[in-house]
Amino acid sequence: MNVDTQKVLKTLNPRKVWIPVLLGIGIVVAMMLFDDNLTADKLLLISHAGGGSMLAALLIILCRDLGYIYRIRMLTGKQLSWMSSVYVIILWEFSSAVTPSVVGGTAVAIFILYKEGIKLGQSIAYAMLSAILDNMFFVVAAPIALFLSGGQAFPRLEAANLQFGGSLEVLFYISYGLITVYTLVMGLALFSKPRAFKWLLIKLTSIGFLRRWRHGAVNRGNEIIMASRQLKGRGWEYWVKISVATLFVWIARYFTLNAVISAFADMTVSQHLLIFGRQIVMWITMLISPTPGSSGFAEGLFPQFFSVFLGDYTLIANILWRMVTYYPYLILGALVLPRWLQRAFLTKKPVEEA
């Protein structure tokens, strides 16, 4: 089984940073143009941001990234060095930022792990397991967030329904349903019935109009079997470490916005929990976005979910939130990628399958 290097390198293209940047800026500019109440004074409200809260947001982001680095190293059984783990996470985040959320960066992650010296079968296993762990967080956390929010997880704004062509609740439940089904199917395939999964894919692609995808289905089936074989026999400590790390990184990801909002408004504990819950709902809704890194879509959803907490500070907080949680990964990835490509293709040699 070969890695499609050309396809991956097409995704890992520094020039692609301009697409999500322009989309994000375009949505923000449109929001400003159509806001009749926007004035120059409102833009100057950025000076009201609390320095302590913004510093906390940056520290939370740093902790989250360290958690990702730790998790990928533990996922690979410490086969990756700390430096290799840093490269993997930076480029994985970059690939997620320049590809639609519905597509994700799993294929790129497999390629990066492979070029860092991890066997192909193991690379597939670790990338798939990472995706399943992340999706499991959403599957479990979403019902908890809905329950604890007391029915306030969804914004009650008519504007939300008008701008997105339908209820946000409908978008959320469609996205949540797709994530749940995908996670259950892939979990069952990876941990219990990999050969049955391959058989099902082959049967499905035997149907007339699906035959064009038969070759790809066979490859995906082989990948699942290979990945399943790599994960057998892992001890309980392995699963505890990567599960706790997954919980940590996602909690840290969401609390970043809590810190940004706190820079402009005093929040109670119950309000912090509501903001946290709304982020889970918003994030799941964003997963069906067709734009790179949900760019534009995220900026458009933000006011619907959080303007009630921010008032006149909504636009400024929206811009700051994306500036600290999204655009740095575009820039950092574009800067690191050329050096990593030289390292991967001229220095490191991938380990072949035994």
Side-chain angles (χ1 to χ4, degrees):
M1 191 178 301
N2 297 319
V3 178
D4 192 342
T5 302
Q6 293 301 319
K7 185 176 180 180
V8 172
L9 291 180
K10 187 177 180 180
T11 300
L12 287 174
N13 186 345
R15 295 178 183 176
K16 284 195 170 186
V17 301
W18 294 110
I19 299 174
V21 167
L22 292 175
L23 280 171
I25 293 175
I27 289 295
V28 171
V29 171
M31 290 166 62
M32 294 169 66
L33 291 175
F34 289 102
D35 186 353
D36 295 331
N37 298 317
L38 182 67
T39 63
D41 290 338
K42 283 190 177 182
L43 294 177
L44 294 176
L45 290 176
I46 192 171
S47 63
H48 293 183
S53 294
M54 290 307 302
L55 177 60
L58 295 175
L59 289 175
I60 292 170
I61 291 171
L62 177 61
C63 289
R64 188 204 74 171
D65 290 340
L66 291 175
Y68 270 127
I69 291 166
Y70 171 83
R71 187 179 75 160
I72 195 63
R73 191 160 189 263
M74 294 303 108
L75 262 171
T76 62
K78 298 183 180 180
Q79 292 181 68
L80 286 178
S81 66
W82 287 110
M83 182 55 68
S84 291
S85 300
V86 170
Y87 274 117
V88 169
I89 294 304
I90 290 175
L91 295 176
W92 198 335
E93 288 289 307
F94 174 74
S95 67
S96 297
V98 297
T99 54
S101 299
V102 71
V103 174
T106 302
V108 176
I110 293 170
F111 173 78
I112 297 168
L113 288 168
Y114 178 63
K115 296 303 290 185
E116 283 295 326
I118 305 296
K119 291 180 180 179
L120 181 57
Q122 292 176 333
S123 297
I124 295 169
Y126 299 144
M128 287 184 175
L129 179 56
S130 179
I132 289 174
L133 287 170
D134 290 338
N135 287 336
M136 277 299 297
F137 175 85
F138 294 131
V139 171
V140 174
I144 297 174
L146 292 176
F147 175 76
L148 294 179
S149 69
Q152 298 183 64
F154 296 100
R156 301 300 178 186
L157 297 174
E158 291 301 321
N161 296 334
L162 291 173
Q163 287 183 21
F164 294 97
S167 171
L168 281 173
E169 293 188 39
V170 173
L171 289 177
F172 167 80
Y173 284 116
I174 290 174
S175 184
Y176 181 78
L178 292 173
I179 294 169
T180 302
V181 171
Y182 172 83
T183 304
L184 290 175
V185 170
M186 293 306 296
L188 184 64
L190 191 60
F191 299 117
S192 180
K193 303 291 183 181
R195 295 189 180 279
F197 179 73
K198 179 182 177 181
W199 176 86
L200 179 62
L201 289 179
I202 292 174
K203 285 296 181 181
L204 287 174
T205 51
S206 296
I207 301 172
F209 68 96
L210 295 177
R211 285 178 182 169
R212 58 184 295 187
W213 291 289
R214 185 180 181 86
H215 179 71
V218 172
N219 285 338
R220 297 297 82 76
N222 290 335
E223 288 174 358
I224 283 287
I225 293 172
M226 189 184 299
S228 178
R229 191 182 303 129
Q230 297 297 332
L231 294 174
K232 285 184 178 179
R234 303 280 178 167
W236 65 270
E237 289 185 358
Y238 175 83
W239 299 106
V240 169
K241 286 179 179 178
I242 62 176
S243 297
V244 170
T246 300
L247 186 63
F248 173 82
V249 297
W250 280 105
I251 289 176
R253 181 187 286 271
Y254 291 142
F255 266 114
T256 303
L257 179 54
N258 285 69
V260 171
I261 292 178
S262 294
F264 297 98
D266 293 329
M267 295 287 111
T268 64
V269 173
S270 61
Q271 286 176 320
H272 273 296
L273 292 176
L274 178 56
I275 291 169
F276 189 88
R278 283 196 170 190
Q279 284 184 79
I280 294 175
V281 172
M282 186 177 78
W283 198 274
I284 291 174
T285 307
M286 284 164 51
L287 288 176
I288 61 174
S289 168
T291 62
S294 296
S295 188
F297 199 69
E299 289 85 352
L301 279 176
F302 183 91
Q304 316 302 335
F305 281 90
F306 304 111
S307 61
V308 66
F309 305 104
L310 289 159
D312 289 341
Y313 296 108
T314 301
L315 178 62
I316 296 300
N318 191 352
I319 294 171
L320 284 177
W321 171 59
R322 291 296 273 178
M323 282 180 64
V324 299
T325 62
Y326 179 66
Y327 295 109
Y329 296 102
L330 290 174
I331 298 170
L332 189 58
L335 292 174
V336 168
L337 181 59
R339 181 176 179 179
W340 179 80
L341 290 173
Q342 183 178 24
R343 161 191 166 95
F345 285 93
L346 300 181
T347 305
K348 282 187 156 305
K349 293 182 179 180
V351 179
E352 298 297 331
E353 295 289 342

